[in-house]
Amino acid sequence: ASGKILFAQQGLGHQTVHIAGNVSTSPDGERFIWCAEPFGNHGSAHTSSGVVRVTSLGTPNGSSLALGSGYPRWSPDGSRISFGRNSITIWNPATGERDAKLQGIDNAEMTAGDWHPDGRLAALCFSNGQTRVYDTKSGDIQYETEERTSRVAQVAWTPNGAGVAVSYVDGVVQILNGSDGKQLLEIKQDEKSNDQMRWSNSGELLVTVDVKNVVRIWETDNGTLHSTKLEGDHVQGINTLMFSPDDRYLVCGVRDAPCRMWDLKIGDDVFRGHGPMDVGRADFSDDGKQLSLLTRTDNATYVYDVRTRKRLSKTPGLLPWRGRDQAQYDWSPQANLVACASYGLAVHFWN
């Protein structure tokens, strides 16, 4: 309500830091997790050597607890945190103890991971092309796929948890049965895959992006190509993909270009080239009536009316983006607090 900074947290003492992993809130709004590492020590999203920290918002100045290293994520219900590099630790913030350890594969780098929607399973993927699904309570392996010559680029459970999509660098996307890992469908792209992939909320559509930044929308019951977007080599990169709650609209943040929002019912870009430039994050309101866009050019947040496409507001950011390093932010569930982390800075907690 006041717009004031409540407090700030330094990442690693007095060293210059950048944020290596998610800044995300627990569902109860009491804790944020984030990861910082020394400037110049750039790990990948899943191999960061930075320190994972849990900040409690109910204590003076937000007391912070250091857990370990690696990319941090909340379980879907917010009761546990996963972090690690090639092996994953499941940590319980309520007890302050480790619940389980998901053992990785020797001589293989972990390249992707995702929690099952109900939190009981987790899928981890590796550079040898294997996918393992673990029980997150016991740490036991439920099943694993065979090795492949192509490494895994991304993995994502279906919204209902019945299946899991695995995207390989060679352009193949497999949809597996979530309970036993048997292949249900295979999709072959014309080009190699990058690490962008998103399910629609209904699970009926899957969006993939190849290395030439062509966005393809697939029907997942039969693998039919629903539509192709952003064809051409002029596209510099894809920052983010987001479906509206009713799956009618797909927002695509394009690097160094205007944001696109396709009405999938009519197949048209409703922004018509006039969306904000270089959008790094997109969020729809729960009712789907408003859309917020965070830009990489000036770190400002724009809010639009989805139906009319009129801009409702623009909120200036802390600092402009620097290079290609993206700041991270997240709202508390009560919508009264936002945590914002920028390149080279501490995490700031705003009222």
Side-chain angles (χ1 to χ4, degrees), residues 30-47:
E30 294 182 358
R31 299 181 179 91
F32 280 82
I33 54 172
W34 51 288
C35 179
E37 60 184 22
F39 174 72
N41 186 17
H42 290 251
S44 70
H46 298 281
T47 61

PDB file of all heavy atoms in Angstrom, residues 30-47:
ATOM      1  N   GLU A  30       4.444 -16.581   3.950  1.00  0.00           N
ATOM      2  CA  GLU A  30       5.313 -16.340   5.100  1.00  0.00           C
ATOM      3  C   GLU A  30       6.796 -16.416   4.767  1.00  0.00           C
ATOM      4  O   GLU A  30       7.623 -15.908   5.510  1.00  0.00           O
ATOM      5  CB  GLU A  30       4.976 -17.334   6.214  1.00  0.00           C
ATOM      6  CG  GLU A  30       3.574 -17.144   6.798  1.00  0.00           C
ATOM      7  CD  GLU A  30       3.296 -18.127   7.926  1.00  0.00           C
ATOM      8  OE1 GLU A  30       4.181 -18.961   8.202  1.00  0.00           O
ATOM      9  OE2 GLU A  30       2.205 -18.056   8.512  1.00  0.00           O
ATOM     10  N   ARG A  31       7.150 -17.061   3.649  1.00  0.00           N
ATOM     11  CA  ARG A  31       8.559 -17.246   3.326  1.00  0.00           C
ATOM     12  C   ARG A  31       8.802 -17.022   1.841  1.00  0.00           C
ATOM     13  O   ARG A  31       7.939 -17.298   1.010  1.00  0.00           O
ATOM     14  CB  ARG A  31       9.033 -18.657   3.692  1.00  0.00           C
ATOM     15  CG  ARG A  31       8.917 -19.029   5.166  1.00  0.00           C
ATOM     16  CD  ARG A  31       9.435 -20.445   5.386  1.00  0.00           C
ATOM     17  NE  ARG A  31       9.367 -20.866   6.776  1.00  0.00           N
ATOM     18  CZ  ARG A  31       8.326 -21.494   7.302  1.00  0.00           C
ATOM     19  NH1 ARG A  31       7.282 -21.783   6.546  1.00  0.00           N
ATOM     20  NH2 ARG A  31       8.339 -21.858   8.571  1.00  0.00           N
ATOM     21  N   PHE A  32       9.980 -16.525   1.519  1.00  0.00           N
ATOM     22  CA  PHE A  32      10.474 -16.453   0.150  1.00  0.00           C
ATOM     23  C   PHE A  32      11.750 -17.282   0.070  1.00  0.00           C
ATOM     24  O   PHE A  32      12.528 -17.342   1.024  1.00  0.00           O
ATOM     25  CB  PHE A  32      10.800 -15.009  -0.249  1.00  0.00           C
ATOM     26  CG  PHE A  32       9.617 -14.189  -0.651  1.00  0.00           C
ATOM     27  CD1 PHE A  32       8.815 -13.590   0.298  1.00  0.00           C
ATOM     28  CD2 PHE A  32       9.309 -14.004  -1.986  1.00  0.00           C
ATOM     29  CE1 PHE A  32       7.738 -12.815  -0.058  1.00  0.00           C
ATOM     30  CE2 PHE A  32       8.225 -13.233  -2.363  1.00  0.00           C
ATOM     31  CZ  PHE A  32       7.433 -12.644  -1.399  1.00  0.00           C
ATOM     32  N   ILE A  33      11.966 -17.915  -1.071  1.00  0.00           N
ATOM     33  CA  ILE A  33      13.254 -18.558  -1.324  1.00  0.00           C
ATOM     34  C   ILE A  33      13.926 -17.853  -2.486  1.00  0.00           C
ATOM     35  O   ILE A  33      13.286 -17.351  -3.404  1.00  0.00           O
ATOM     36  CB  ILE A  33      13.130 -20.070  -1.631  1.00  0.00           C
ATOM     37  CG1 ILE A  33      12.144 -20.327  -2.783  1.00  0.00           C
ATOM     38  CG2 ILE A  33      12.765 -20.850  -0.399  1.00  0.00           C
ATOM     39  CD1 ILE A  33      12.149 -21.774  -3.251  1.00  0.00           C
ATOM     40  N   TRP A  34      15.237 -17.806  -2.433  1.00  0.00           N
ATOM     41  CA  TRP A  34      16.009 -17.203  -3.504  1.00  0.00           C
ATOM     42  C   TRP A  34      17.416 -17.767  -3.465  1.00  0.00           C
ATOM     43  O   TRP A  34      17.795 -18.467  -2.521  1.00  0.00           O
ATOM     44  CB  TRP A  34      16.021 -15.677  -3.386  1.00  0.00           C
ATOM     45  CG  TRP A  34      16.410 -15.127  -2.047  1.00  0.00           C
ATOM     46  CD1 TRP A  34      15.660 -15.152  -0.903  1.00  0.00           C
ATOM     47  CD2 TRP A  34      17.623 -14.460  -1.714  1.00  0.00           C
ATOM     48  NE1 TRP A  34      16.334 -14.537   0.123  1.00  0.00           N
ATOM     49  CE2 TRP A  34      17.532 -14.089  -0.345  1.00  0.00           C
ATOM     50  CE3 TRP A  34      18.758 -14.106  -2.433  1.00  0.00           C
ATOM     51  CZ2 TRP A  34      18.559 -13.421   0.309  1.00  0.00           C
ATOM     52  CZ3 TRP A  34      19.769 -13.425  -1.787  1.00  0.00           C
ATOM     53  CH2 TRP A  34      19.663 -13.082  -0.432  1.00  0.00           C
ATOM     54  N   CYS A  35      18.193 -17.490  -4.499  1.00  0.00           N
ATOM     55  CA  CYS A  35      19.543 -18.035  -4.589  1.00  0.00           C
ATOM     56  C   CYS A  35      20.452 -16.964  -5.163  1.00  0.00           C
ATOM     57  O   CYS A  35      20.121 -16.315  -6.145  1.00  0.00           O
ATOM     58  CB  CYS A  35      19.544 -19.267  -5.489  1.00  0.00           C
ATOM     59  SG  CYS A  35      21.162 -20.020  -5.711  1.00  0.00           S
ATOM     60  N   ALA A  36      21.578 -16.753  -4.513  1.00  0.00           N
ATOM     61  CA  ALA A  36      22.541 -15.760  -4.978  1.00  0.00           C
ATOM     62  C   ALA A  36      23.916 -16.397  -5.076  1.00  0.00           C
ATOM     63  O   ALA A  36      24.245 -17.318  -4.324  1.00  0.00           O
ATOM     64  CB  ALA A  36      22.591 -14.574  -4.019  1.00  0.00           C
ATOM     65  N   GLU A  37      24.699 -15.921  -6.028  1.00  0.00           N
ATOM     66  CA  GLU A  37      26.061 -16.419  -6.163  1.00  0.00           C
ATOM     67  C   GLU A  37      26.978 -15.260  -6.541  1.00  0.00           C
ATOM     68  O   GLU A  37      26.512 -14.225  -7.027  1.00  0.00           O
ATOM     69  CB  GLU A  37      26.131 -17.536  -7.206  1.00  0.00           C
ATOM     70  CG  GLU A  37      25.700 -17.145  -8.584  1.00  0.00           C
ATOM     71  CD  GLU A  37      25.705 -18.338  -9.526  1.00  0.00           C
ATOM     72  OE1 GLU A  37      25.638 -19.478  -9.063  1.00  0.00           O
ATOM     73  OE2 GLU A  37      25.784 -18.107 -10.732  1.00  0.00           O
ATOM     74  N   PRO A  38      28.294 -15.389  -6.299  1.00  0.00           N
ATOM     75  CA  PRO A  38      29.212 -14.286  -6.595  1.00  0.00           C
ATOM     76  C   PRO A  38      29.176 -13.892  -8.058  1.00  0.00           C
ATOM     77  O   PRO A  38      28.976 -14.723  -8.931  1.00  0.00           O
ATOM     78  CB  PRO A  38      30.587 -14.855  -6.212  1.00  0.00           C
ATOM     79  CG  PRO A  38      30.286 -15.956  -5.251  1.00  0.00           C
ATOM     80  CD  PRO A  38      28.972 -16.533  -5.690  1.00  0.00           C
ATOM     81  N   PHE A  39      29.349 -12.601  -8.304  1.00  0.00           N
ATOM     82  CA  PHE A  39      29.383 -12.095  -9.669  1.00  0.00           C
ATOM     83  C   PHE A  39      30.450 -12.830 -10.467  1.00  0.00           C
ATOM     84  O   PHE A  39      31.568 -13.030 -10.015  1.00  0.00           O
ATOM     85  CB  PHE A  39      29.686 -10.602  -9.653  1.00  0.00           C
ATOM     86  CG  PHE A  39      29.880 -10.020 -11.021  1.00  0.00           C
ATOM     87  CD1 PHE A  39      28.795  -9.862 -11.860  1.00  0.00           C
ATOM     88  CD2 PHE A  39      31.128  -9.642 -11.457  1.00  0.00           C
ATOM     89  CE1 PHE A  39      28.969  -9.320 -13.121  1.00  0.00           C
ATOM     90  CE2 PHE A  39      31.307  -9.097 -12.711  1.00  0.00           C
ATOM     91  CZ  PHE A  39      30.231  -8.940 -13.552  1.00  0.00           C
ATOM     92  N   GLY A  40      30.087 -13.248 -11.677  1.00  0.00           N
ATOM     93  CA  GLY A  40      31.028 -13.949 -12.540  1.00  0.00           C
ATOM     94  C   GLY A  40      30.958 -15.450 -12.396  1.00  0.00           C
ATOM     95  O   GLY A  40      31.476 -16.178 -13.235  1.00  0.00           O
ATOM     96  N   ASN A  41      30.282 -15.944 -11.339  1.00  0.00           N
ATOM     97  CA  ASN A  41      30.178 -17.391 -11.142  1.00  0.00           C
ATOM     98  C   ASN A  41      28.816 -17.840 -11.655  1.00  0.00           C
ATOM     99  O   ASN A  41      27.927 -18.167 -10.900  1.00  0.00           O
ATOM    100  CB  ASN A  41      30.326 -17.722  -9.657  1.00  0.00           C
ATOM    101  CG  ASN A  41      30.362 -19.222  -9.405  1.00  0.00           C
ATOM    102  OD1 ASN A  41      30.595 -19.997 -10.327  1.00  0.00           O
ATOM    103  ND2 ASN A  41      30.145 -19.606  -8.162  1.00  0.00           N
ATOM    104  N   HIS A  42      28.643 -17.824 -12.964  1.00  0.00           N
ATOM    105  CA  HIS A  42      27.336 -18.065 -13.560  1.00  0.00           C
ATOM    106  C   HIS A  42      27.121 -19.563 -13.768  1.00  0.00           C
ATOM    107  O   HIS A  42      27.687 -20.164 -14.671  1.00  0.00           O
ATOM    108  CB  HIS A  42      27.214 -17.355 -14.913  1.00  0.00           C
ATOM    109  CG  HIS A  42      27.142 -15.868 -14.773  1.00  0.00           C
ATOM    110  ND1 HIS A  42      25.997 -15.164 -15.008  1.00  0.00           N
ATOM    111  CD2 HIS A  42      28.075 -14.963 -14.397  1.00  0.00           C
ATOM    112  CE1 HIS A  42      26.222 -13.871 -14.809  1.00  0.00           C
ATOM    113  NE2 HIS A  42      27.480 -13.730 -14.437  1.00  0.00           N
ATOM    114  N   GLY A  43      26.283 -20.169 -12.944  1.00  0.00           N
ATOM    115  CA  GLY A  43      25.871 -21.544 -13.180  1.00  0.00           C
ATOM    116  C   GLY A  43      24.615 -21.564 -14.017  1.00  0.00           C
ATOM    117  O   GLY A  43      23.939 -20.562 -14.191  1.00  0.00           O
ATOM    118  N   SER A  44      24.283 -22.733 -14.583  1.00  0.00           N
ATOM    119  CA  SER A  44      23.022 -22.845 -15.313  1.00  0.00           C
ATOM    120  C   SER A  44      21.876 -22.884 -14.321  1.00  0.00           C
ATOM    121  O   SER A  44      22.079 -22.918 -13.104  1.00  0.00           O
ATOM    122  CB  SER A  44      23.016 -24.118 -16.163  1.00  0.00           C
ATOM    123  OG  SER A  44      22.945 -25.260 -15.335  1.00  0.00           O
ATOM    124  N   ALA A  45      20.656 -22.888 -14.842  1.00  0.00           N
ATOM    125  CA  ALA A  45      19.477 -22.820 -13.972  1.00  0.00           C
ATOM    126  C   ALA A  45      19.437 -23.962 -12.966  1.00  0.00           C
ATOM    127  O   ALA A  45      18.932 -23.810 -11.866  1.00  0.00           O
ATOM    128  CB  ALA A  45      18.209 -22.829 -14.821  1.00  0.00           C
ATOM    129  N   HIS A  46      19.990 -25.120 -13.350  1.00  0.00           N
ATOM    130  CA  HIS A  46      19.894 -26.275 -12.463  1.00  0.00           C
ATOM    131  C   HIS A  46      21.232 -26.677 -11.860  1.00  0.00           C
ATOM    132  O   HIS A  46      21.309 -27.652 -11.118  1.00  0.00           O
ATOM    133  CB  HIS A  46      19.284 -27.454 -13.230  1.00  0.00           C
ATOM    134  CG  HIS A  46      17.900 -27.179 -13.720  1.00  0.00           C
ATOM    135  ND1 HIS A  46      16.804 -27.247 -12.901  1.00  0.00           N
ATOM    136  CD2 HIS A  46      17.442 -26.799 -14.926  1.00  0.00           C
ATOM    137  CE1 HIS A  46      15.722 -26.935 -13.586  1.00  0.00           C
ATOM    138  NE2 HIS A  46      16.086 -26.661 -14.814  1.00  0.00           N
ATOM    139  N   THR A  47      22.313 -25.936 -12.174  1.00  0.00           N
ATOM    140  CA  THR A  47      23.626 -26.299 -11.632  1.00  0.00           C
ATOM    141  C   THR A  47      24.270 -25.142 -10.901  1.00  0.00           C
ATOM    142  O   THR A  47      25.473 -25.103 -10.732  1.00  0.00           O
ATOM    143  CB  THR A  47      24.562 -26.788 -12.752  1.00  0.00           C
ATOM    144  OG1 THR A  47      24.750 -25.726 -13.691  1.00  0.00           O
ATOM    145  CG2 THR A  47      23.984 -27.989 -13.468  1.00  0.00           C
TER     146      THR A  47
END
